[in-house]
Amino acid sequence: MSNRAIYPGTFDPITNGHIDIVARAARIFDHVIVAVAASTSKNTAFSTDERVQFARDTLAEYKNVEVQRFEGLLANFVRQWGANAVLRGLRAVSDFEYEFQLAGMNKHLVPEAETIFMPTRENYSYISSSLIREIASLGGDVSEFVHPIVRDALAERFASRNPKK
Ligand code: COA
């Protein structure tokens, strides 16, 4: 049996923290599917197609990784793709309560899959997509935290707010 993990998230946009989790997971699992949530309660800065494209472009070097969009319940997507694991990154203790709840509910909805938690690398533990967006929107440098493709897309998205001096 091959081990197939789903790594779900909003990825608005994908950061180096996410990429680091995928890179490490790609060494453990036979196949990793990055699942980009189309319907989310979050008011996203980038469309689903853009979020999927950024993930595809920045993860292209990992041959056992693919990126797909998903709508609705994660549990249905996990079943549809025949995955046996849901991968989640943990940044801090504060992430744990919500993650524990999510894992419990997903276990109930799709008992054949296990949630696997992976600690985020130390130097990415304090970043989040919304923080990256905020810094970029205020003209700050995010190149340490995102792939150049994403950095450029953020700069373009917020260009009107940060006119060149
Ligand atoms: N490095 C950097 N940042 C990270 C990170 C990492 N390794 N891991 C998470 N983050 C950040 C994300 O960028 C995100 O930042 P933001 O809140 O500023 O956007 C934040 O941490 C939370 O990310 P995450 O935990 O991945 O949540 P999410 O909102 O991106 O994804 C879903 C949540 C989509 C997986 C979840 O809502 C879901 O499954 N939805 C489908 C509907 C469903 O099935 N609901 C029932 C669930 S039981």
Side-chain angles (χ1 to χ4, degrees):
M1 191 181 107
S2 74
N3 286 313
R4 183 177 271 226
I6 304 280
Y7 181 40
T10 309
F11 303 108
D12 185 39
I14 191 165
T15 68
N16 288 346
H18 296 126
I19 293 171
D20 173 60
I21 297 275
V22 175
R24 286 152 63 202
R27 293 199 291 267
I28 299 172
F29 294 97
D30 299 303
H31 198 71
V32 178
I33 299 153
V34 177
V36 179
S39 41
T40 160
S41 53
K42 291 180 177 177
N43 196 1
T44 59
F46 294 103
S47 69
T48 311
D49 286 347
E50 286 173 314
R51 288 180 282 126
V52 166
Q53 199 54 52
F54 295 151
R56 286 200 176 131
D57 290 346
T58 56
L59 296 169
E61 70 183 90
Y62 303 101
K63 299 304 168 212
N64 60 338
V65 173
E66 70 180 286
V67 180
Q68 298 291 342
R69 61 183 276 155
F70 83 101
E71 316 231 9
L73 270 184
L74 175 64
N76 291 345
F77 185 82
V78 170
R79 197 166 275 139
Q80 180 194 335
W81 284 84
N84 56 354
V86 174
L87 177 67
R88 297 288 290 166
L90 282 183
R91 291 167 301 165
V93 177
S94 53
D95 280 346
F96 187 77
E97 204 167 329
Y98 170 67
E99 291 300 333
F100 198 71
Q101 206 182 358
L102 206 66
M105 187 54 83
N106 279 326
K107 184 72 187 160
H108 177 77
L109 295 172
V110 55
E112 61 270 32
E114 299 295 337
T115 296
I116 307 289
F117 294 121
M118 196 178 271
T120 300
R121 197 175 290 265
E122 203 182 314
N123 45 338
Y124 298 136
S125 62
Y126 51 88
I127 66 172
S128 68
S129 298
S130 46
L131 211 50
I132 296 297
R133 290 197 308 274
E134 184 178 336
I135 295 167
S137 74
L138 296 170
D141 180 13
V142 293
S143 47
E144 210 181 313
F145 305 117
V146 294
H147 190 282
I149 290 171
V150 174
R151 178 203 58 203
D152 293 348
L154 283 163
E156 198 178 315
R157 176 59 42 100
F158 297 117
S160 58
R161 292 199 210 171
N162 299 302
K164 287 201 173 75
K165 286 165 200 128

